[in-house]
Amino acid sequence: MDLLVRLASICGRENVLSDPEDLLVFEYDAGFDRSAPSAVVVPATADEVSAVVRAARDAGVPIVPRGAGTGLAGGTVACGGAIVVSTSRLRNILEIDTVGRSALVEPGVVNADLGAALRPHGLFFAPDPSSQRASTIGGNIGNNAGGPHALRYGSVVDHVLGVEMVLPDGTIAAFGGRAPDLPGYDLVPLIVGSEGTLGIVTKAWLRLLPLPEHVHTFLALFPDVGTGARAASAIIGGGIVPAAMEMLDRTTMRALNAAFDAHLPEEAGSLLLVEVEGLVEECRDQVTRIETLCRAEGAFGIRTATTAEERDALWKARKLGYPALARIKPNNYLNDAVVPRTKLPEVLGRVNGIADRYGYTIANMFHIGDGNLHPVLLFDARTEPIERVLRAAAEILRVAVDAGGMLSGEHGIGVEKEDFMTWVFAPEDLDAMRRARGALDPDGVMNPGKVLPGQKACGDIPTSRIKRGLAEGMWV
Amino acid sequence: MTVPGASRFELPSDALQQCIRCGMCLEACPTYTLTGLETESPRGRIHLMDAMTHGRIGATARVSLHLDRCLGCRACEAVCPSGVPYGELIELTRAQLVRPSRRRDLLLGAIVARPRVLDVAARVGSLYERSGVRALLHATGAIRLLPPGLRRLESLYPPLARPRYRAPTPPSAPVARVALLLGCVMRVAYGDVHTSAAHVLARLGVEVVDVPDQGCCGALHAHAGDREAARGLARKAIAAFERAGVDALVVDAAGCGAYMKGYGRLLADDPAWAERARALAARVRDVTEYIASLEVPAPLGRLEARVTYQDPCHLAHAQGIRRQPRELLRRIDGLELVEMPDADMCCGSAGTYNVVQPEYADRLQRAKVDAILSTGASAVVSANPGCMLQVAAGLRARGSDLPVLHVVEVLDRAMRS
Ligand SMILES: Cc1cc2nc3c(=O)[nH]c(=O)nc-3n(C[C@H](O)[C@H](O)[C@H](O)COP(=O)(O)OP(=O)(O)OC[C@H]3O[C@@H](n4cnc5c(N)ncnc54)[C@H](O)[C@@H]3O)c2cc1C
Ligand code: SF4
Ligand code: SF4
């Protein structure tokens, strides 16, 4: 095939994969949808990316950008004969400006590696998706990732000053840059969260923050999920914004204790993992107020992390909590939805009702501070048909949307939820999005079949077909 | 979709099913961090195993290549939140894949399993060492003229001129009775490490009893794909150590210790041996783990040195032992421990890996040597013979004569003074 030869001449033969066995391991990300690309190419520079894009375009082959493949919505799953462009050789931190507090990085840099490089300078990159030990800055940008600390700092879009991107015709263009507030259209927020449908980001200017003077991390233990959720509402309602506030239920605690020896109190029905940051006095004051509110809602214990190791252990357990759930049941379906905070206790109740009705164990471990629910359905794919799981997940999504919520808090739409977009956007809204996309990618060659409903590219993925049926069937 | 001939491959579905493709193991994997390729990652390898089990692909040369490149270091298993038993999966996979390189592995395995065969090889080797041929080859640079395959083996040649194992005088009122695994490669190549281990134990009041008919633990065979031979050796070892009736079986080679701790699973389906295997496995202790669990004097002797510690994969990842060796070293008066970057990243040794996958092994070895030299330490300490050979070979290739010592050797020297 002509394209393969051309790709090999651009990136070197060893950086183009086309054996069927090799392609098979690119058929997945961390979600449920599967489809293998027609080739994988691993360029080492922005110029190579540009040449690869031109080559694919000349051959009429669509392109899917891929970081670490930890996405949960199938964003890097390639359909319609697309090739995958991997960023794993674009792994350099090009610049750390300690005075201007910004960094220039390539997209394949792993989030945690950037954090490690910044720490000696007393700086950090705020977005901390739980997958940060593997996920890349490019993927974080692609999905506008959040994380526990998004509560205080916002998601990735609030921390990207600019990007360099290879457009679908191979042009290399820069948007924004080191300095904030450039004149003209600010396209950066459009690109962040576009899930690889507008181009391939080849560099990013990131905003950095100084590490806080003091961090205080503690657990508040509650008899059940309802009391914990009410306390969280009271805290936010009281005008306090902790750096992070996570809820874990008992099922989750059991899994974490099994996986990490986390010593979480399984006698509690739920717990809030709360972190406050700032000046020492400021923290002390906030902690006192939060503790008081927790106790008023029924908290029966407070446990404080007294050393950095204890704090790290808590966060490690929390951040790797989702895969740890596999210790209870080998498969799990992680839902991602945002609901208005005031509706949290009610929505949680209804979600549990759905799980009961289907007979699934449910685990709750989520960013309660910003209403970002992650109810996880636990099942065994060897005995449970995936169709049934997807149906339960769609019902959960429906409950969230009916409560005035959103389809996704942070994981993106990808090929997982594009059909559900019609649940929350009017045809006119979706059409405006299509036109915005068309301005940069008129032929729809970048990551086709993702984000926007009604495309054919990924129609053959079996899970995708099931979901389309659910989206259409349950809306009327 | 089933590929012809693929149906023969099978792995336990509960182990496979446990992997949810989350990718949290990627950055722990040496071959993934080298290449950035999903094909050289734990998640990718598990996916290939899964695809073979389900008959989606056959055991093609391409699949074997990716699986062969796995070091078996189990770093992925150590970080996997979901508890995927990767070590077991890769071992069962290797036992089923017919690879061209397998025969050579098996041969190596056959040699190392027989102490007497190895003895002869050792004596010849020792002659070669003493005759000065080796020194001459190195000094003149003629070593570079050897074909790469031979050169590789040459540079990994165990330091055979080292003295053999000599048992210590037993303590008069022992606090415990243990056996020491002498093993196969260790016995001839690093007999003096055993001597150090036994002397340190004796000085701490532990009696090391002689277990004459012990053989090889079977780890090398299993890693080379010969699980049946490994099971046979495991049964022999179990019987021998049961007869010794000791409190603990102390192992100073991390690879062997890790393997023996898994005897329970290895023989789980053998009714006559399952229980015995579990019981013995429960008594296996790495030597650093064992010493750290004793009531030992502080300080543990004195030694002026600045050392850095290299975590053997089969100690850190497979046995979860990182703290104990460091703690023991820190308890030595005058000794300074400086951490190298990525101390627990595989050095590329991994059994026969450096012979079978030379390119990857070299890249890992180079990275390890860089890390070691960056510390400015005057010695490297580790706890596994394979790692010690690989690290020493890497240092020598870079013109460094930094000594490479086992933790127990350092302890032995410190306690003697
Ligand atoms: C255990 C676990 C925990 C997680 N926790 C969180 C969390 O707390 N918060 C959160 O937000 N997400 C979380 N995720 C989801 C996921 O890790 C994030 O979405 C992450 O940002 C994906 O990064 P990646 O490098 O794996 O990207 P990939 O999955 O490879 O790609 C993600 C998307 O970005 C696009 N993309 C990748 N690189 C580029 C590029 N250079 N240019 C343009 N587009 C690109 C891809 O096409 C795709 O659409 C979690 C996932 C797991 C498995
Ligand atoms: S092996 Fe473990 S960490 Fe790696 S992808 Fe599978 S479940 Fe995740
Ligand atoms: S055992 Fe080591 S080399 Fe093999 S997949 Fe796991 S981490 Fe990678």
Side-chain angles (χ1 to χ4, degrees):
Chain A
M1 186 173 138
D2 223 18
L3 177 60
L4 288 179
V5 176
R6 199 164 152 197
L7 293 177
S9 74
I10 299 167
C11 301
R13 259 190 58 190
E14 67 281 14
N15 295 308
V16 179
L17 306 179
S18 57
D19 289 284
E21 300 94 324
D22 290 4
L23 300 180
L24 199 63
V25 306
F26 289 87
E27 71 171 350
Y28 53 76
D29 63 1
F32 274 90
D33 305 290
R34 301 278 183 268
S35 176
S38 61
V40 176
V41 50
V42 198
T45 62
D47 286 337
E48 283 188 14
V49 174
S50 160
V52 164
V53 170
R54 276 180 223 274
R57 191 186 168 78
D58 290 348
V61 172
I63 298 166
V64 179
R66 180 177 172 108
T70 69
L72 289 157
T76 71
V77 170
C79 7
I83 61 166
V84 156
V85 177
S86 160
T87 59
S88 60
R89 287 171 76 212
L90 293 163
R91 267 196 171 218
N92 297 305
I93 298 174
L94 302 171
E95 212 179 282
I96 296 175
D97 177 357
T98 53
V99 181
R101 288 188 187 150
S102 71
L104 177 60
V105 306
E106 292 184 334
V109 170
V110 172
N111 178 302
D113 288 348
L114 177 62
L118 294 174
R119 214 164 298 127
H121 302 288
L123 296 169
F124 76 112
F125 175 62
D128 66 334
S130 300
S131 58
Q132 68 193 137
R133 66 157 64 184
S135 65
T136 64
I137 296 298
N140 293 168
I141 291 175
N143 281 352
N144 186 19
H149 289 78
L151 179 57
R152 170 160 181 179
Y153 297 106
S155 58
V156 167
V157 71
D158 302 308
H159 301 274
V160 179
L161 299 167
V163 297
E164 174 192 274
M165 187 165 83
V166 173
L167 305 184
D169 65 357
T171 313
I172 303 180
F175 303 84
R178 205 176 325 260
D181 298 328
L182 293 171
Y185 295 121
D186 184 1
L187 295 185
V188 176
L190 176 69
I191 292 168
V192 177
S194 63
E195 305 191 29
T197 60
L198 300 179
I200 303 179
V201 172
T202 45
K203 285 188 189 71
W205 285 270
L206 306 176
R207 181 201 313 279
L208 307 178
L209 297 172
L211 285 167
E213 182 194 272
H214 184 71
V215 183
H216 187 102
T217 312
F218 64 95
L219 303 175
L221 320 183
F222 294 89
D224 52 38
V225 170
T227 43
R230 274 198 298 279
S233 284
I235 292 164
I236 304 287
I240 310 169
V241 184
M245 183 157 63
E246 302 283 306
M247 165 165 283
L248 281 67
D249 68 5
R250 185 182 287 145
T251 306
T252 307
M253 284 185 246
R254 258 206 297 141
L256 297 185
N257 285 343
F260 309 111
D261 252 340
H263 304 296
L264 296 173
E266 289 177 36
E267 72 273 16
S270 80
L271 63 78
L272 291 179
L273 165 57
V274 187
E275 186 156 281
V276 298
E277 294 177 355
L279 304 172
V280 180
E281 309 78 57
E282 203 182 358
C283 287
R284 203 178 303 137
D285 184 45
Q286 275 200 9
V287 171
T288 318
R289 288 173 58 203
I290 294 173
E291 286 187 9
T292 312
L293 287 169
C294 286
R295 290 199 194 277
E297 294 295 342
F300 64 87
I302 303 281
R303 286 199 195 171
T304 302
T306 48
T307 62
E309 290 75 42
E310 276 178 37
R311 171 176 181 263
D312 291 348
L314 281 178
W315 279 117
K316 178 181 163 200
R318 161 59 189 98
K319 290 197 169 172
L320 298 176
Y322 155 63
L325 288 171
R327 302 211 178 217
I328 297 180
K329 282 276 176 80
N331 300 94
N332 49 43
Y333 195 94
L334 171 53
N335 296 272
D336 175 33
V338 187
V339 296
R341 259 179 311 248
T342 48
K343 299 268 180 70
L344 260 176
E346 176 199 329
V347 169
L348 280 171
R350 295 186 59 191
V351 167
N352 282 328
I354 294 170
D356 280 349
R357 186 148 44 76
Y358 278 84
Y360 294 130
T361 309
I362 201 161
N364 280 294
M365 162 188 32
F366 59 97
H367 316 311
I368 194 166
D370 39 25
N372 190 178
L373 289 183
H374 287 328
V376 188
L377 297 170
L378 310 181
F379 66 101
D380 186 334
R382 287 169 301 183
T383 51
E384 280 292 330
I386 185 74
E387 189 161 3
R388 199 157 171 270
V389 182
L390 292 175
R391 175 174 287 276
E395 284 193 33
I396 289 176
L397 210 53
R398 200 49 222 267
V399 166
V401 170
D402 285 347
M406 251 304 146
L407 294 177
S408 164
E410 53 180 18
H411 298 163
I413 299 299
V415 69
E416 187 201 10
K417 289 183 182 164
E418 87 281 14
D419 291 312
F420 298 97
M421 290 286 272
T422 51
W423 286 11
V424 286
F425 292 107
E428 295 77 13
D429 306 341
L430 288 171
D431 193 50
M433 286 190 210
R434 275 188 204 104
R435 279 193 263 170
R437 178 184 174 184
L440 281 172
D441 183 16
D443 304 322
V445 294
M446 291 302 308
N447 213 353
K450 311 295 168 65
V451 186
L452 295 168
Q455 305 177 73
K456 278 199 223 60
C458 298
D460 288 342
I461 302 182
T463 42
S464 195
R465 253 200 316 259
I466 298 171
K467 283 179 286 195
R468 180 158 310 164
L470 289 169
E472 286 163 7
M474 285 170 59
W475 187 234
V476 281
Chain B
M1 176 176 65
T2 300
V3 178
S7 55
R8 267 168 296 142
F9 187 87
E10 207 183 328
L11 291 171
S13 82
D14 51 344
L16 279 178
Q17 192 72 14
Q18 203 64 31
C19 174
I20 60 161
R21 311 291 188 273
C22 70
M24 294 305 105
C25 52
L26 295 175
E27 289 297 312
C29 174
T31 57
Y32 179 80
T33 52
L34 273 186
T35 60
L37 290 176
E38 192 71 29
T39 43
E40 312 304 338
S41 77
R43 181 170 66 167
R45 291 181 178 124
I46 293 168
H47 198 67
L48 290 174
M49 295 174 194
D50 188 76
M52 281 193 290
T53 299
H54 288 105
R56 295 179 65 197
I57 50 170
T60 61
R62 194 74 192 164
V63 172
S64 293
L65 177 70
H66 300 315
L67 295 167
D68 280 351
R69 282 180 177 160
C70 169
L71 293 146
C73 71
R74 293 168 70 178
C76 50
E77 185 174 337
V79 300
C80 171
S82 163
V84 175
Y86 183 86
E88 200 181 325
L89 285 174
I90 190 76
E91 190 181 310
L92 290 168
T93 299
R94 289 197 165 145
Q96 293 175 70
L97 291 192
V98 184
R99 307 173 279 125
S101 55
R102 182 170 169 207
R103 232 166 286 148
R104 186 175 39 189
D105 287 351
L106 295 184
L107 192 70
L108 267 173
I111 293 175
V112 296
R114 293 190 184 77
R116 238 169 306 132
V117 179
L118 203 59
D119 259 20
V120 177
R123 246 173 266 129
V124 177
S126 160
L127 248 175
Y128 162 68
E129 180 110 336
R130 260 180 285 143
S131 66
V133 177
R134 197 176 189 185
L136 195 71
L137 273 177
H138 282 275
T140 56
I143 185 84
R144 277 197 301 275
L145 302 176
L146 288 178
L150 263 184
R151 204 187 327 156
R152 168 164 304 280
L153 282 173
E154 207 288 331
S155 75
L156 289 166
Y157 218 78
L160 293 167
R162 294 175 78 142
R164 355 196 64 218
Y165 172 58
R166 261 193 306 274
T169 344
S172 46
V175 294
R177 288 179 79 243
V178 305
L180 184 66
L181 177 79
L182 298 176
C184 44
V185 179
M186 272 299 266
R187 181 183 304 216
V188 278
Y190 278 106
D192 51 344
V193 170
H194 288 329
T195 308
S196 291
H199 281 253
V200 170
L201 288 167
R203 246 179 254 121
L204 295 169
V206 177
E207 181 185 349
V208 182
V209 302
D210 197 25
V211 182
D213 44 0
Q214 55 166 294
C216 167
C217 71
L220 280 173
H221 302 73
H223 297 160
D226 196 347
R227 206 168 142 90
E228 268 322 302
R231 281 157 62 101
L233 288 163
R235 289 188 194 99
K236 265 185 68 183
I238 293 166
F241 288 110
E242 275 174 348
R243 277 193 295 276
V246 288
D247 305 321
L249 167 52
V250 175
V251 184
D252 58 15
C256 307
Y259 201 69
M260 298 184 90
K261 285 182 177 180
Y263 272 0
R265 274 195 313 282
L266 182 67
L267 294 172
D269 58 358
D270 180 342
W273 287 85
E275 190 41 48
R276 295 169 70 180
R278 251 195 310 277
L280 184 82
R283 273 185 290 155
V284 175
R285 295 284 179 280
D286 182 72
V287 67
T288 62
E289 179 186 21
Y290 186 75
I291 298 175
S293 74
L294 297 172
E295 301 228 341
V296 295
L300 273 172
R302 183 173 172 78
L303 192 70
E304 292 282 347
R306 182 181 159 87
V307 306
T308 188
Y309 176 72
Q310 143 75 11
D311 287 286
C313 296
H314 286 100
L315 198 59
H317 305 314
Q319 300 185 57
I321 297 176
R322 299 155 186 272
R323 181 178 48 83
Q324 295 90 327
R326 291 181 167 82
E327 249 171 45
L328 291 176
L329 291 171
R330 285 208 189 88
R331 270 198 250 167
I332 297 172
D333 205 20
L335 184 137
E336 184 194 354
L337 177 63
V338 266
E339 290 288 345
M340 68 176 91
D342 300 321
D344 65 351
M345 182 60 89
C346 183
C347 64
S349 157
T352 50
Y353 193 81
N354 35 30
V355 181
V356 185
Q357 293 294 332
E359 191 207 324
Y360 280 40
D362 277 351
R363 286 164 74 182
L364 291 167
Q365 188 189 47
R366 242 175 290 137
K368 183 55 70 183
V369 170
D370 286 340
I372 291 169
L373 295 178
S374 78
T375 62
S378 54
V380 192
V381 185
S382 195
N384 194 41
C387 311
M388 292 164 66
L389 284 176
Q390 173 83 347
V391 167
L395 285 166
R396 242 180 288 135
R398 293 272 281 277
S400 160
D401 56 0
L402 224 59
V404 182
L405 300 168
H406 193 289
V407 176
V408 291
E409 290 182 281
V410 180
L411 288 174
D412 190 24
R413 284 180 205 185
M415 289 167 81
R416 246 183 285 150
S417 60

